[in-house]
Amino acid sequence: MSTIEKVQEEVLVAEAVGVNNEIVLHNDDVNTFDHVIDTLMRVCKHDELQAEQCAILVHYKGQCTVKTGPIDQLKPQCSALLDAGLSAEII
């Protein structure tokens, strides 16, 4: 006969939900690929490949999540993207 063992884990709500804040970059007809890539590298600390992939996704899909994290860290980054002329929002 086998014994069934029950394990009860306590999980904090923050751990269960995770980080739900994202900066979403939207496509526009104004900015060049180079400008978008350079800005993502400078503001979001992307490496060149990651920034290029995000720029391509934004171009073909219309938008791309470029950064996730706590809202207090995302606000200045989103503002910097907007100041650079990009179209971005925090969701």
Side-chain angles (χ1 to χ4, degrees), residues 25-73:
L25 185 64
H26 297 279
N27 192 29
D28 62 42
D29 295 328
V30 179
N31 293 293
T32 65
F33 274 91
D34 287 338
H35 177 65
V36 173
I37 291 167
D38 292 342
T39 304
L40 289 174
M41 290 171 58
R42 180 177 49 83
V43 172
C44 297
K45 307 301 183 214
H46 287 190
D47 61 32
E48 189 172 356
L49 179 61
Q50 183 180 14
E52 184 179 330
Q53 289 172 340
C54 286
I56 290 169
L57 284 171
V58 167
H59 180 72
Y60 287 107
K61 299 283 187 176
Q63 66 181 27
C64 175
T65 297
V66 294
K67 199 72 173 177
T68 60
I71 192 78
D72 59 325
Q73 289 179 3

Side-chain angles (χ1 to χ4, degrees), residues 3-16:
T3 303
I4 297 175
E5 185 177 320
K6 288 186 178 182
V7 177
Q8 183 177 3
E9 288 186 37
E10 188 174 321
V11 179
L12 297 175
V13 174
E15 291 176 343

